[in-house]
Amino acid sequence: MSDLPSRSEKTWLTIIGIGEDGPDGLGEEARRLIASAPVVFGGARHHALLDRLISGERLIWQSPFEASVDDIVSRRGTPVVVLASGDPFLYGVGATLSRRIAADEMRTIPAPSAFSLAASRLGWPLQDTATVSLHGRPIELIMPHLHDGRRIIALTSDEKGPAELARLLTNYGFGRSRLTVLEALGGERETVRSALAAELAFRAIDPLNVCGVEVVADEKARILPFTNGLDDGFYEHDGQITKREIRALTLSALSPRYGELLWDIGAGSGSIGIEWMLCDPSLKAIAIEQSPERAARIARNATALGVPSLALVEGTAPSALRDLAQPDAIFIGGGGSEPGVLAAAIEALKAGGRLVANAVTLEMEALLLSEYAKRGGTLTRLEVSRAAPVGTMSGWRPAMPVTQWRWIKDLT
């Protein structure tokens, strides 16, 4: 038998989700826990909604938020109640607290999330609907979800969110999409209004709102395909870009896996790091670029393509690689022949990680041939030709060949 205390003996923190209906939407147990709690953390709105229930000390979230988390952790072992909006573990405070407090120390009583409430009002099966939180996040995060016929529920930050979303939809060729604004769901002020994105002109929108989008794409809408190798036209660039076909093969060689981090050394337009991140929301990338002009361009591309969290380091490798988080995969597209760059990348790579380097110059190719002879891996010659006019007819115009070295670092 184990001598470990049971969950009930260890639990000291209770997280309670509430809706706009305040105490009316709570069960007896949640009411009792709130009423008997010696201290209650939450937002000013939460305290106002439950004003008649709370008898203990009321603590409003501090700025920065981590200060309140420290305060909660310092009370470990004594009863604490935290109030949250809806489901605390869906873009909520529960996820933040769980990074510092073990699950067996917490008890959670969730309420329906804004996404669940919106889906029920719209009559949309939640499992078939894309959900995205734009609360405190760049609105461009919705870009990868914009496909004709898709349904999206987006949580906004404030009363300006619906208009900002409508402008984005219109600017990128989705102006005929129907945008439904659902305000103060579950409370007395609940309102549901709908209009085409290009015609949205609602006034006095409640700051607590969520938007449902029924996507309709115009002929030239900016739709990001579910594949690597986006058309080069999606990117702002000065010619320094891994071309579409080579990019698709390069991402295949990098083989993204859940939660991994990529270094894109000599990022140029940022296309490899951007498409790495588009593979899955869990993926992260750092683009290393020495040109300030190109670095600014990378940032614009990342935002426009829906991955604004792409990290950017402006500097020259290998010195710019110091102190960066250790990567699971590395791509070297530019500047790889400079002294120390390849060696530094190999040294930094995690055991079992993948390194992919592309060469178009003889100098870089010679370096890759040497590393291949010394370390093994795979060496591939990539050649692409495109049909182009030849007088009044057509012929094949070859692009510069690319030598690609892929190497996996030993686990030992």
Side-chain angles (χ1 to χ4, degrees):
M1 293 180 62
S2 172
D3 293 328
L4 292 174
S6 68
R7 183 182 181 90
S8 60
E9 293 172 325
K10 295 184 69 175
T11 302
W12 56 275
L13 174 63
T14 303
I15 308 174
I16 299 176
I18 61 174
E20 281 298 290
D21 51 359
D24 293 341
L26 297 175
E28 290 185 11
E29 184 180 21
R31 290 166 172 263
R32 177 182 59 78
L33 288 167
I34 293 169
S36 63
V39 59
V40 178
F41 285 82
R45 184 176 64 87
H46 300 140
H47 286 297
L49 284 168
L50 301 183
D51 180 65
R52 58 187 172 87
L53 272 185
I54 301 172
S55 59
E57 182 181 6
R58 306 177 186 210
L59 294 176
I60 305 295
W61 297 127
Q62 302 177 54
S63 181
F65 184 73
E66 194 62 29
S68 288
V69 176
D70 290 339
D71 192 357
I72 292 170
V73 172
S74 72
R75 299 169 187 266
R76 178 177 264 114
T78 61
V80 174
V81 164
V82 167
L83 303 178
S85 297
D87 185 344
F89 279 89
L90 187 62
Y91 299 110
V93 68
T96 302
L97 292 173
S98 67
R99 292 195 284 267
R100 301 277 300 274
I101 302 167
D104 60 1
E105 297 180 70
M106 295 188 292
R107 180 182 190 181
T108 303
I109 304 176
S113 69
F115 297 112
S116 295
L117 291 172
S120 68
R121 301 299 190 271
L122 295 165
W124 295 356
L126 197 53
Q127 72 272 13
D128 298 327
T129 303
T131 58
V132 58
S133 175
L134 306 177
H135 184 77
R137 296 174 171 87
I139 200 166
E140 290 82 6
L141 286 171
I142 202 170
M143 289 299 300
H145 301 286
L146 296 179
H147 286 246
D148 193 53
R150 192 83 185 266
R151 287 172 168 174
I152 306 168
I153 297 177
L155 180 65
T156 70
S157 289
D158 53 33
E159 67 278 6
K160 300 176 183 177
E164 292 172 354
L165 181 54
R167 280 194 295 272
L168 180 144
L169 292 169
T170 303
N171 291 342
Y172 284 108
F174 300 94
R176 293 186 295 129
S177 300
R178 179 154 296 279
L179 197 157
T180 301
V181 183
L182 305 100
E183 307 163 59
L185 286 173
E188 294 179 354
R189 297 177 291 110
E190 179 175 316
T191 304
V192 178
R193 293 181 277 179
S194 183
L196 297 185
E199 301 172 358
L200 188 85
F202 298 154
R203 296 184 179 277
I205 295 176
D206 194 288
L208 295 173
N209 68 79
V210 62
C211 294
V213 183
E214 295 173 272
V215 182
V216 177
D218 295 337
E219 184 178 348
K220 295 184 179 180
R222 189 182 178 91
I223 299 174
L224 303 181
F226 295 137
T227 184
N228 293 129
L230 297 180
D231 189 283
D232 295 348
F234 278 105
Y235 294 95
E236 181 186 345
H237 64 90
D238 59 1
Q240 292 298 312
I241 182 172
T242 303
K243 297 299 190 293
R244 176 180 187 169
E245 298 86 354
I246 303 301
R247 193 183 324 127
L249 293 170
T250 299
L251 266 294
S252 175
L254 286 167
S255 305
R257 301 172 187 174
Y258 176 82
E260 289 189 327
L261 170 67
L262 170 76
W263 284 3
D264 182 0
I265 301 175
S269 66
S271 63
I272 295 294
I274 288 169
E275 293 192 28
W276 166 278
M277 292 181 67
L278 283 172
C279 289
D280 189 83
S282 71
L283 295 170
K284 299 177 182 178
I286 302 174
I288 299 98
E289 174 55 53
Q290 64 178 342
S291 164
E293 183 178 354
R294 287 177 182 160
R297 192 177 292 123
I298 290 168
R300 292 195 295 271
N301 282 333
T303 297
L305 291 169
V307 288
S309 60
L310 172 73
L312 187 58
V313 173
E314 189 178 315
T316 304
S319 59
L321 308 178
R322 298 193 191 105
D323 302 322
L324 299 183
Q326 189 176 23
D328 302 280
I330 296 176
F331 172 64
I332 303 177
S337 60
E338 295 298 317
V341 173
L342 190 55
I346 289 171
E347 175 66 24
L349 188 64
K350 283 184 182 179
R354 289 89 61 206
L355 185 147
V356 176
N358 287 356
V360 293
T361 65
L362 294 176
E363 290 78 7
M364 183 62 176
E365 184 177 84
L367 182 59
L368 297 188
L369 288 169
S370 173
E371 291 296 332
Y372 172 69
K374 180 168 58 176
R375 302 177 188 275
T378 57
L379 202 62
T380 307
R381 184 80 157 176
L382 307 175
E383 299 185 60
V384 175
S385 296
R386 298 184 181 89
V390 179
T392 59
M393 293 181 282
S394 298
W396 293 110
R397 189 178 299 278
M400 291 184 69
V402 175
T403 299
Q404 182 178 94
W405 179 51
R406 182 179 191 265
W407 175 72
I408 299 176
K409 192 170 186 177
D410 289 342
L411 289 170
T412 55

